Amino acid sequence: MRESTIMFLHYVTAILIVITGLIHLLANNDPVIGATIKANPVLYLGNMAIFLAALLYHAFNGVRVILIEMVPDRCWTKWISWAILIVGIVTYAVGLQVLMVALGFA
Amino acid sequence: MASEEAKEYVLPPEVLEETMKASEELWKPVRKIKFRIYKYNPRKDYAPYWEEHELEVSRGMTVLDALLIIKGEADHSLGLRYSCRMGLCGSCAMMINGKQMLACQTRVLEAAGSGDVVELRPLDNFPVERDLAADFTSFFEKHRAVKPWIIRNDDVELNNPTGPYKQTVDEYARYYQFTDCIKCGACLSACPTAATDYEYLGPQALAQAYRYIVDTRDDGLDVRIPVVDTEHGCWRCHFAASCSDVCPRGVDPAQGIQLLKKLLIKRKFGFKPHKPAEALPAKVKAEKKE
Ligand code: SF4
Ligand code: SF4
């Protein structure tokens, strides 16, 4: 993937974090929205799945950027990107599992 | 007419006297300044060290003037690089009291301020060639990597030009400021990203990539994308803008990099920066001549 695509997604995920994070906060703090969400658990799970994906992408890409600047060796750059991708996917799978259990889907 | 032209223009005596006085004032020694100079020859010295010289300086004396006096009178081995002495070649960029500046453009008293010490060392973020001269090999390699020349696909026109390429004043204004770059390396030296990431292309090369990409005569965007749109390309710029802060030519490379990022994102959605300019037909050229 071109670096511009990765960084474009970095900016998009930042916006997604704000939107889905806000929905998450309102669901837990606003009684009216909270009640709506309780009536539609699948929607809430969807929101949280997007929130978690965006958050992990944004955070892990940030770590990747720091690492490739600190270890600029071109050969290491590839390894760092792959390692971060694998750790990110595993973390997402575990996070999703936790979310599903917490929301009573599994 | 010819004899009138040949007449010598003589300044009125009072103006002449004033000019002479001002010039004498400018070159009269006014203060003693201590120069703290970095010395290191990687081929010979185990470690860098500092050397100090004291000099009577005048208001008009530049750091380069002072260095040449020191080299001529006190330390012949002093290594420094300079060429045009008028801020156009960019050879004499160095750290003057901790800031990237051109030695030929900086007056000693201006650098010293209220203090009486001027510290000189080679540019940061560059390997040392000798004393105050930095090694520019990788800087120029990065510059060359972005293909800083006009790339065209119309070989026929290129090989047999019928006229100059069309370009409006507005199109020229888009890249004009970047043409002022003298490749002095001050921006790369001030860049915090370049300080840790030696593979980072750097503000100079990236701003030049932008300069050529937005030039309507150029059609080389796709050729340059694999160079600038990489892990160590324009996306590593954190926009601290310290590069623009130190540029002695008033170029704003930080802005160029952000515009380059914008251009690359727009390219993802199919926008091209411009249509390649066409050559002016030969007829227009002939008409203009008339
Ligand atoms: S952009 Fe400015 S500071 Fe950088 S190399 Fe060009 S002239 Fe020097
Ligand atoms: S704006 Fe970008 S290129 Fe300029 S100093 Fe900051 S990180 Fe370096």
Side-chain angles (χ1 to χ4, degrees), chain B residues 242-256:
Chain B
S242 32
C243 50
S244 307
D245 186 36
V246 298
C247 177
R249 301 286 294 169
V251 180
D252 190 351
Q255 185 200 30

Side-chain angles (χ1 to χ4, degrees), chain A residues 2-5 7-8 11 64-65 68-70 72-74 77-78 81, chain B residues 193 196-199 225-226 229-232 235-236 238 264-265 268-269:
Chain A
R2 276 241 171 274
E3 192 67 12
S4 52
T5 313
M7 292 310 288
F8 180 62
Y11 304 144
R64 181 190 73 99
V65 167
I68 57 177
E69 274 176 24
M70 284 172 66
D73 197 296
R74 285 208 183 241
T77 305
K78 285 239 143 32
S81 301
Chain B
T193 307
T196 50
D197 182 355
Y198 54 79
E199 287 275 2
I225 281 182
D229 191 2
T230 59
E231 283 104 340
H232 299 282
W235 302 99
R236 290 296 76 81
H238 299 294
L264 291 177
I265 295 282
K268 297 223 153 297
F269 297 98

